[in-house]
Coordinates of all heavy atoms in Angstrom, one line a residue:
S1 N 85.6 98.8 109.2 CA 85.8 97.8 108.2 C 84.8 96.7 108.4 O 84.4 96.3 109.5 CB 87.3 97.2 108.3 OG 87.3 96.0 107.6
M2 N 84.3 96.2 107.3 CA 83.3 95.2 107.3 C 83.8 93.9 107.8 O 83.1 93.0 108.2 CB 82.6 95.0 106.0 CG 83.5 94.4 104.9 SD 82.7 94.2 103.3 CE 82.8 95.8 102.7
F3 N 85.2 93.7 107.8 CA 85.8 92.5 108.2 C 86.4 92.5 109.7 O 87.2 91.7 110.0 CB 86.9 92.1 107.2 CG 86.4 92.0 105.8 CD1 86.8 92.9 104.9 CD2 85.6 90.9 105.4 CE1 86.4 92.7 103.5 CE2 85.1 90.8 104.1 CZ 85.6 91.7 103.2
V4 N 86.0 93.5 110.4 CA 86.6 93.8 111.7 C 86.6 92.6 112.7 O 87.5 92.4 113.4 CB 86.0 95.0 112.4 CG1 84.6 94.8 112.9 CG2 86.9 95.5 113.5
S5 N 85.6 91.8 112.6 CA 85.5 90.6 113.5 C 86.1 89.3 113.0 O 86.0 88.3 113.5 CB 84.0 90.3 113.9 OG 83.3 90.0 112.7
L6 N 86.8 89.4 111.8 CA 87.3 88.3 111.1 C 88.9 88.3 111.1 O 89.5 87.9 110.1 CB 86.8 88.3 109.7 CG 85.3 88.1 109.6 CD1 84.9 88.2 108.1 CD2 84.8 86.8 110.1
G7 N 89.5 88.7 112.2 CA 90.9 88.8 112.3 C 91.7 87.5 112.1 O 92.8 87.6 111.7
S8 N 91.0 86.4 112.3 CA 91.7 85.1 112.1 C 91.6 84.6 110.7 O 92.1 83.5 110.4 CB 91.3 84.1 113.1 OG 89.9 83.9 113.0
L9 N 90.8 85.2 109.9 CA 90.6 84.8 108.5 C 91.9 84.7 107.7 O 92.7 85.6 107.7 CB 89.6 85.8 107.7 CG 89.1 85.3 106.4 CD1 88.1 84.1 106.5 CD2 88.4 86.5 105.7
Q10 N 92.1 83.6 107.0 CA 93.3 83.4 106.3 C 93.2 83.5 104.8 O 94.1 83.8 104.0 CB 94.0 82.1 106.7 CG 94.4 82.1 108.1 CD 95.1 80.7 108.4 OE1 95.3 79.9 107.6 NE2 95.4 80.6 109.7
I11 N 92.0 83.1 104.3 CA 91.7 83.1 102.8 C 90.4 83.9 102.6 O 89.4 83.6 103.2 CB 91.6 81.7 102.3 CG1 92.9 80.9 102.5 CG2 91.3 81.7 100.8 CD1 92.9 79.5 102.2
L12 N 90.5 84.8 101.6 CA 89.3 85.5 101.3 C 89.2 85.6 99.7 O 90.1 86.0 99.1 CB 89.3 87.0 101.8 CG 88.1 87.9 101.5 CD1 86.8 87.3 102.0 CD2 88.4 89.3 102.0
R13 N 88.1 85.0 99.3 CA 87.8 84.9 97.8 C 86.7 85.8 97.4 O 85.5 85.7 97.9 CB 87.5 83.5 97.4 CG 88.5 82.5 97.7 CD 89.4 82.4 96.5 NE 90.5 81.4 96.7 CZ 91.6 81.6 96.2 NH1 91.9 82.6 95.4 NH2 92.6 80.7 96.3
L14 N 87.0 86.9 96.7 CA 86.0 87.8 96.2 C 85.9 87.9 94.7 O 85.5 89.0 94.2 CB 86.3 89.2 96.8 CG 86.2 89.3 98.3 CD1 86.7 90.7 98.8 CD2 84.8 89.1 98.8
E15 N 86.2 86.8 94.0 CA 86.2 86.8 92.6 C 84.7 86.9 92.1 O 83.8 86.5 92.7 CB 86.8 85.5 92.1 CG 88.3 85.3 92.3 CD 88.6 84.6 93.6 OE1 87.7 84.4 94.4 OE2 89.7 84.1 93.7
H16 N 84.6 87.4 90.9 CA 83.3 87.4 90.2 C 82.2 88.2 91.0 O 81.1 87.7 91.1 CB 82.8 86.0 89.8 CG 83.7 85.3 88.9 ND1 83.8 85.5 87.5 CD2 84.7 84.3 89.1 CE1 84.7 84.7 87.0 NE2 85.3 84.0 87.9
N17 N 82.6 89.3 91.5 CA 81.6 90.1 92.3 C 81.3 91.5 91.8 O 80.7 92.3 92.4 CB 82.1 90.2 93.8 CG 81.8 89.0 94.6 OD1 80.6 88.7 94.9 ND2 82.8 88.2 94.9
D18 N 81.8 91.8 90.6 CA 81.6 93.0 89.9 C 82.1 94.2 90.8 O 81.5 95.3 90.7 CB 80.1 93.3 89.6 CG 79.7 92.4 88.4 OD1 80.5 92.1 87.5 OD2 78.5 92.0 88.4
L19 N 83.1 94.0 91.6 CA 83.7 95.1 92.4 C 84.4 96.1 91.5 O 85.2 95.7 90.7 CB 84.7 94.5 93.4 CG 84.2 93.5 94.4 CD1 85.3 92.9 95.2 CD2 83.1 94.2 95.3
S20 N 84.0 97.3 91.6 CA 84.7 98.4 90.8 C 85.6 99.3 91.7 O 86.5 99.9 91.2 CB 83.7 99.2 90.0 OG 82.8 99.8 91.0
T21 N 85.3 99.3 93.0 CA 86.1 100.1 93.9 C 86.3 99.4 95.2 O 85.5 98.5 95.5 CB 85.5 101.5 94.2 OG1 84.2 101.3 94.8 CG2 85.4 102.3 92.9
L22 N 87.3 99.7 95.9 CA 87.5 99.2 97.3 C 87.7 100.5 98.2 O 88.3 101.4 97.8 CB 88.8 98.4 97.4 CG 88.9 97.2 96.6 CD1 90.3 96.6 96.6 CD2 87.9 96.1 97.1
A23 N 87.0 100.4 99.4 CA 87.2 101.5 100.3 C 88.6 101.5 100.9 O 89.2 100.4 101.0 CB 86.1 101.4 101.4
P24 N 89.1 102.6 101.3 CA 90.4 102.6 101.9 C 90.4 101.7 103.2 O 89.4 101.7 103.9 CB 90.6 104.1 102.3 CG 89.8 104.8 101.3 CD 88.6 103.9 101.1
E25 N 91.4 100.9 103.4 CA 91.6 100.1 104.5 C 90.6 99.0 104.7 O 90.3 98.5 105.7 CB 91.7 100.9 105.8 CG 92.8 101.9 105.8 CD 93.0 102.7 107.1 OE1 92.6 102.2 108.2 OE2 93.4 103.9 107.0
T26 N 90.0 98.6 103.5 CA 88.9 97.6 103.5 C 89.4 96.3 104.3 O 88.6 95.7 105.0 CB 88.6 97.2 102.1 OG1 88.0 98.4 101.5 CG2 87.6 96.1 102.0
F27 N 90.7 95.9 104.1 CA 91.2 94.7 104.6 C 92.1 94.8 105.8 O 92.7 93.9 106.2 CB 91.9 93.9 103.5 CG 91.1 93.8 102.2 CD1 91.5 94.5 101.1 CD2 90.0 93.0 102.2 CE1 90.8 94.4 99.9 CE2 89.3 92.8 101.0 CZ 89.7 93.6 99.9
A28 N 92.1 96.1 106.3 CA 93.1 96.4 107.4 C 93.0 95.5 108.6 O 94.0 95.2 109.3 CB 93.0 97.8 107.8
S29 N 91.8 95.0 109.0 CA 91.7 94.2 110.2 C 92.0 92.7 109.9 O 91.9 91.9 110.9 CB 90.2 94.3 110.7 OG 89.3 93.9 109.8
L30 N 92.3 92.4 108.7 CA 92.6 91.0 108.4 C 94.1 90.7 108.4 O 94.7 90.3 107.5 CB 92.0 90.7 107.0 CG 90.5 90.9 106.8 CD1 90.1 90.6 105.3 CD2 89.7 90.0 107.7
F31 N 94.6 90.8 109.6 CA 96.1 90.7 109.8 C 96.6 89.3 109.6 O 97.8 89.1 109.5 CB 96.5 91.3 111.2 CG 95.7 90.8 112.3 CD1 96.0 89.7 113.0 CD2 94.6 91.6 112.7 CE1 95.3 89.3 114.0 CE2 93.8 91.1 113.8 CZ 94.2 90.0 114.5
N32 N 95.8 88.3 109.5 CA 96.2 86.9 109.3 C 95.9 86.5 107.9 O 96.2 85.3 107.6 CB 95.5 85.9 110.3 CG 96.1 86.0 111.7 OD1 97.3 86.0 111.8 ND2 95.2 86.2 112.7
L33 N 95.5 87.3 107.0 CA 95.1 87.0 105.7 C 96.4 86.7 104.8 O 97.2 87.5 104.8 CB 94.3 88.1 105.0 CG 93.6 87.7 103.8 CD1 92.4 86.8 104.1 CD2 93.1 89.0 103.0
H34 N 96.4 85.5 104.3 CA 97.6 85.1 103.4 C 97.2 85.0 102.0 O 98.0 85.1 101.1 CB 98.3 83.9 103.9 CG 97.5 82.6 103.9 ND1 97.3 81.9 102.8 CD2 97.0 82.0 105.0 CE1 96.6 80.8 103.1 NE2 96.4 80.9 104.5
T35 N 95.9 84.8 101.6 CA 95.4 84.7 100.3 C 94.2 85.6 100.1 O 93.2 85.5 100.8 CB 95.0 83.3 100.0 OG1 96.2 82.5 100.2 CG2 94.6 83.1 98.5
L36 N 94.3 86.5 99.0 CA 93.2 87.4 98.7 C 92.9 87.3 97.2 O 93.8 87.6 96.4 CB 93.6 88.8 99.1 CG 92.5 89.9 98.7 CD1 91.2 89.6 99.3 CD2 93.1 91.3 99.1
G37 N 91.7 86.8 96.8 CA 91.3 86.7 95.5 C 90.4 87.8 95.1 O 89.3 87.9 95.6
L38 N 90.9 88.6 94.1 CA 90.1 89.7 93.6 C 89.9 89.6 92.1 O 89.6 90.6 91.4 CB 90.7 91.1 94.0 CG 90.7 91.4 95.5 CD1 91.6 92.6 95.8 CD2 89.3 91.7 95.9
S39 N 90.2 88.5 91.5 CA 90.1 88.3 90.1 C 88.7 88.4 89.6 O 87.7 88.3 90.3 CB 90.6 86.9 89.7 OG 91.9 86.7 90.1
H40 N 88.6 88.7 88.3 CA 87.4 88.8 87.6 C 86.4 89.8 88.2 O 85.2 89.5 88.4 CB 86.7 87.4 87.5 CG 87.5 86.4 86.7 ND1 87.4 86.3 85.3 CD2 88.4 85.5 87.1 CE1 88.3 85.4 84.9 NE2 88.9 84.9 86.0
N41 N 86.9 91.0 88.5 CA 86.1 92.1 88.9 C 86.2 93.3 88.0 O 86.6 93.0 86.8 CB 86.5 92.4 90.4 CG 85.8 91.5 91.4 OD1 84.6 91.4 91.5 ND2 86.7 90.7 92.0
K42 N 85.9 94.5 88.4 CA 86.0 95.6 87.5 C 86.9 96.7 88.2 O 86.7 97.9 88.0 CB 84.6 96.2 87.3 CG 83.7 95.2 86.5 CD 82.3 95.7 86.3 CE 81.5 94.7 85.6 NZ 80.1 95.1 85.5
L43 N 87.9 96.3 89.0 CA 88.7 97.2 89.7 C 89.6 98.0 88.7 O 90.1 97.4 87.8 CB 89.6 96.4 90.7 CG 88.9 95.7 91.8 CD1 89.9 94.9 92.6 CD2 88.2 96.7 92.7
K44 N 89.6 99.3 88.9 CA 90.3 100.2 88.0 C 91.5 100.9 88.7 O 92.5 101.3 88.1 CB 89.4 101.3 87.5 CG 88.4 100.8 86.5 CD 87.6 102.0 86.0 CE 86.6 101.4 85.0 NZ 85.8 102.5 84.4
H45 N 91.5 101.0 90.0 CA 92.5 101.8 90.8 C 92.8 101.1 92.1 O 91.9 100.7 92.8 CB 91.9 103.2 91.1 CG 92.9 104.1 91.8 ND1 92.8 104.3 93.2 CD2 94.0 104.8 91.5 CE1 93.7 105.1 93.6 NE2 94.5 105.4 92.6
L46 N 94.1 100.9 92.3 CA 94.5 100.4 93.6 C 95.6 101.3 94.2 O 96.5 101.7 93.5 CB 95.1 99.0 93.4 CG 94.2 97.9 92.9 CD1 94.9 96.6 92.7 CD2 93.1 97.6 93.9
D47 N 95.4 101.6 95.4 CA 96.4 102.5 96.1 C 96.9 101.8 97.4 O 96.3 100.7 97.8 CB 96.0 103.9 96.3 CG 94.8 104.0 97.2 OD1 94.7 103.3 98.2 OD2 93.9 104.9 96.9
A48 N 97.8 102.4 98.1 CA 98.4 101.8 99.3 C 97.4 101.6 100.4 O 97.5 100.6 101.2 CB 99.6 102.7 99.8
S49 N 96.4 102.4 100.5 CA 95.4 102.3 101.6 C 94.6 101.0 101.5 O 94.0 100.5 102.4 CB 94.5 103.5 101.7 OG 93.6 103.5 100.5
H50 N 94.5 100.5 100.3 CA 93.7 99.3 100.1 C 94.3 98.0 100.7 O 93.6 97.1 101.1 CB 93.5 99.0 98.6 CG 92.7 100.0 97.9 ND1 93.0 100.5 96.7 CD2 91.5 100.6 98.3 CE1 92.1 101.4 96.3 NE2 91.2 101.5 97.3
F51 N 95.6 98.0 100.9 CA 96.3 96.8 101.4 C 96.9 97.0 102.7 O 97.8 96.2 103.1 CB 97.2 96.2 100.3 CG 96.5 95.9 99.0 CD1 96.7 96.7 97.9 CD2 95.6 94.9 99.0 CE1 96.0 96.5 96.8 CE2 95.0 94.6 97.8 CZ 95.1 95.4 96.7
L52 N 96.6 98.1 103.4 CA 97.2 98.3 104.8 C 96.9 97.1 105.7 O 95.7 96.6 105.7 CB 96.6 99.6 105.3 CG 97.2 100.9 104.8 CD1 96.5 102.1 105.4 CD2 98.7 101.0 105.0
G53 N 97.8 96.7 106.5 CA 97.6 95.7 107.5 C 97.8 94.3 107.0 O 97.9 93.4 107.8
L54 N 98.0 94.1 105.7 CA 98.1 92.8 105.1 C 99.6 92.3 105.1 O 100.2 92.0 104.1 CB 97.5 92.7 103.7 CG 96.0 93.0 103.7 CD1 95.5 92.9 102.2 CD2 95.2 92.1 104.6
R55 N 100.2 92.3 106.2 CA 101.7 92.0 106.3 C 102.0 90.5 106.0 O 103.1 90.3 105.7 CB 102.2 92.4 107.7 CG 102.0 93.9 108.0 CD 102.8 94.3 109.2 NE 102.5 95.6 109.7 CZ 102.8 96.7 109.0 NH1 103.4 96.7 107.8 NH2 102.5 97.9 109.5
V56 N 101.1 89.6 106.2 CA 101.4 88.2 105.9 C 100.8 87.7 104.6 O 100.9 86.6 104.2 CB 100.9 87.3 107.0 CG1 101.6 87.6 108.3 CG2 99.4 87.3 107.2
L57 N 100.2 88.7 103.8 CA 99.6 88.3 102.5 C 100.7 87.8 101.6 O 101.8 88.4 101.4 CB 99.0 89.6 101.9 CG 98.2 89.3 100.6 CD1 96.9 88.5 101.0 CD2 97.8 90.6 99.9
S58 N 100.5 86.6 101.1 CA 101.5 86.0 100.2 C 101.0 85.7 98.8 O 101.7 85.5 97.9 CB 102.1 84.6 100.8 OG 101.0 83.7 101.0
S59 N 99.7 85.7 98.6 CA 99.1 85.5 97.4 C 97.9 86.5 97.1 O 97.0 86.6 97.9 CB 98.5 84.0 97.3 OG 97.9 83.9 96.0
L60 N 98.1 87.2 96.0 CA 97.1 88.3 95.6 C 96.8 88.0 94.2 O 97.6 88.1 93.3 CB 97.6 89.7 95.8 CG 96.8 90.8 95.4 CD1 95.4 90.8 96.2 CD2 97.5 92.2 95.6
E61 N 95.5 87.8 93.9 CA 95.0 87.5 92.6 C 94.2 88.7 92.0 O 93.2 89.0 92.6 CB 94.2 86.2 92.5 CG 95.0 85.0 93.0 CD 94.2 83.9 93.7 OE1 93.0 84.0 93.6 OE2 94.8 83.0 94.2
L62 N 94.7 89.3 91.0 CA 94.1 90.5 90.4 C 93.8 90.4 88.9 O 93.4 91.4 88.3 CB 95.0 91.7 90.7 CG 95.2 92.2 92.1 CD1 96.3 93.2 92.2 CD2 93.9 92.8 92.6
D63 N 94.0 89.2 88.4 CA 93.8 89.0 86.9 C 92.3 89.3 86.5 O 91.4 89.2 87.4 CB 94.2 87.7 86.5 CG 93.6 86.6 87.2 OD1 93.8 86.4 88.4 OD2 92.8 85.9 86.6
H64 N 92.1 89.7 85.3 CA 90.8 89.9 84.7 C 90.1 91.1 85.5 O 89.0 91.0 85.9 CB 90.0 88.7 84.7 CG 90.5 87.7 83.7 ND1 91.4 86.7 84.2 CD2 90.3 87.5 82.4 CE1 91.7 85.9 83.1 NE2 91.1 86.4 82.0
N65 N 90.8 92.2 85.7 CA 90.2 93.4 86.2 C 90.5 94.5 85.1 O 91.0 94.2 84.0 CB 90.8 93.8 87.5 CG 90.2 93.2 88.7 OD1 89.1 93.5 89.1 ND2 90.8 92.2 89.2
A66 N 90.1 95.7 85.3 CA 90.2 96.8 84.4 C 91.2 97.8 84.9 O 91.0 99.0 84.9 CB 88.9 97.5 84.1
L67 N 92.3 97.3 85.6 CA 93.3 98.2 86.3 C 93.9 99.2 85.3 O 94.4 98.9 84.2 CB 94.4 97.4 86.9 CG 94.0 96.6 88.1 CD1 95.2 95.7 88.5 CD2 93.6 97.5 89.2
E68 N 93.7 100.5 85.7 CA 94.3 101.6 85.0 C 95.4 102.3 85.8 O 96.3 102.9 85.3 CB 93.2 102.7 84.7 CG 92.1 102.1 83.8 CD 91.0 103.0 83.6 OE1 91.0 104.1 84.2 OE2 90.0 102.7 82.8
V69 N 95.2 102.3 87.2 CA 96.1 103.0 88.1 C 96.5 102.1 89.2 O 95.7 101.5 89.9 CB 95.5 104.3 88.7 CG1 96.4 105.0 89.6 CG2 95.1 105.3 87.6
L70 N 97.8 101.9 89.3 CA 98.4 101.1 90.4 C 99.4 102.0 91.1 O 100.4 102.3 90.6 CB 99.0 99.8 89.8 CG 99.6 98.8 90.8 CD1 98.5 98.4 91.8 CD2 100.2 97.7 90.1
D71 N 99.1 102.4 92.3 CA 99.9 103.3 93.1 C 101.3 102.6 93.3 O 101.3 101.4 93.6 CB 99.2 103.5 94.5 CG 99.9 104.6 95.3 OD1 101.1 104.3 95.7 OD2 99.4 105.7 95.5
N72 N 102.3 103.3 93.3 CA 103.7 102.8 93.5 C 103.9 102.1 94.8 O 104.7 101.2 95.0 CB 104.8 103.9 93.4 CG 104.9 104.3 91.9 OD1 104.6 103.6 91.0 ND2 105.5 105.5 91.7
D73 N 103.1 102.6 95.8 CA 103.2 102.1 97.2 C 102.0 101.1 97.5 O 101.8 100.7 98.7 CB 103.2 103.2 98.2 CG 104.5 104.0 98.1 OD1 105.5 103.5 97.8 OD2 104.3 105.3 98.4
A74 N 101.3 100.6 96.5 CA 100.2 99.8 96.7 C 100.5 98.5 97.6 O 99.7 98.1 98.4 CB 99.5 99.4 95.5
F75 N 101.7 98.0 97.4 CA 102.0 96.7 98.0 C 103.2 96.9 99.0 O 103.9 96.0 99.4 CB 102.4 95.7 97.0 CG 101.3 95.5 96.0 CD1 101.6 95.9 94.6 CD2 100.1 95.1 96.3 CE1 100.6 95.8 93.7 CE2 99.1 95.0 95.4 CZ 99.3 95.3 94.1
K76 N 103.4 98.2 99.4 CA 104.6 98.5 100.3 C 104.6 97.7 101.6 O 105.6 97.2 102.0 CB 104.5 100.0 100.7 CG 105.6 100.5 101.5 CD 105.5 102.0 101.7 CE 106.6 102.5 102.5 NZ 106.5 104.0 102.7
N77 N 103.4 97.4 102.2 CA 103.4 96.7 103.5 C 103.2 95.2 103.3 O 103.2 94.5 104.3 CB 102.2 97.2 104.3 CG 102.5 98.6 104.8 OD1 103.6 99.0 105.2 ND2 101.4 99.5 104.7
C78 N 103.1 94.8 102.1 CA 102.9 93.4 101.8 C 104.3 92.7 101.5 O 104.5 92.3 100.3 CB 101.9 93.2 100.6 SG 100.3 94.0 100.9
K79 N 105.1 92.5 102.5 CA 106.4 92.0 102.3 C 106.5 90.6 101.9 O 107.5 90.1 101.4 CB 107.2 92.2 103.6 CG 107.2 93.6 104.1 CD 108.0 94.5 103.2 CE 108.1 95.9 103.9 NZ 108.5 96.9 103.0
N80 N 105.4 89.8 102.1 CA 105.5 88.4 101.8 C 104.9 88.0 100.4 O 104.8 86.8 100.1 CB 104.7 87.6 102.9 CG 105.5 87.6 104.2 OD1 106.7 87.6 104.2 ND2 104.7 87.8 105.3
L81 N 104.5 89.0 99.6 CA 103.9 88.7 98.3 C 104.9 87.9 97.5 O 106.1 88.3 97.4 CB 103.4 89.9 97.6 CG 102.0 90.4 97.9 CD1 101.7 91.7 97.2 CD2 101.0 89.3 97.6
Q82 N 104.5 86.9 96.8 CA 105.4 86.2 95.9 C 105.0 86.4 94.5 O 103.9 86.5 94.1 CB 105.3 84.7 96.2 CG 105.7 84.5 97.7 CD 105.6 83.0 98.1 OE1 105.1 82.2 97.3 NE2 105.9 82.7 99.3

C-alpha cells in the first residue's frame, strides 16, 4: 500500500484527483483514519476490499463520482460510519 508508513493519519482528502479506480486494500494500513474524502472523482466501482482496515472511519465523502456498482459488503468493516 502506498500509505503503509502513515498508520497514524486521521484525515485523508483525495477530492478532485480524477481517480477512476482504487486498488484493493488501498487504505488498509490507515487503521486510524476517521475521515476519507473521495468526492469529485470518477470512481465507478467500490467493493469490500477498498475499505478493509478502516474500522474507525466515521466520515466517507463519495459525492460527485460516477458510481455504477457498490458492493453489498463495501462498508462491512466500517462500523463507525455515520
Side-chain angles (χ1 to χ4, degrees):
S1 164
M2 70 177 79
F3 301 113
V4 71
S5 63
L6 299 173
S8 61
L9 189 70
Q10 295 182 5
I11 298 171
L12 180 60
R13 297 271 181 213
L14 296 172
E15 294 95 339
H16 299 280
N17 277 291
D18 290 328
L19 299 174
S20 57
T21 61
L22 296 173
E25 300 182 31
T26 297
F27 309 110
S29 62
L30 300 177
F31 48 87
N32 285 312
L33 195 72
H34 63 75
T35 301
L36 177 58
L38 293 169
S39 299
H40 297 275
N41 281 295
K42 298 177 181 176
L43 297 172
K44 291 184 179 181
H45 179 260
L46 295 176
D47 64 38
S49 70
H50 293 135
F51 302 107
L52 285 176
L54 298 182
R55 299 194 190 291
V56 299
L57 188 71
S58 59
S59 177
L60 176 61
E61 300 153 5
L62 291 168
D63 57 292
H64 294 92
N65 275 286
L67 288 174
E68 297 173 358
V69 178
L70 183 58
D71 188 293
N72 287 339
D73 292 328
F75 309 113
K76 183 177 181 178
N77 293 316
C78 303
K79 306 290 185 196
N80 292 321
L81 273 180
Q82 299 175 0

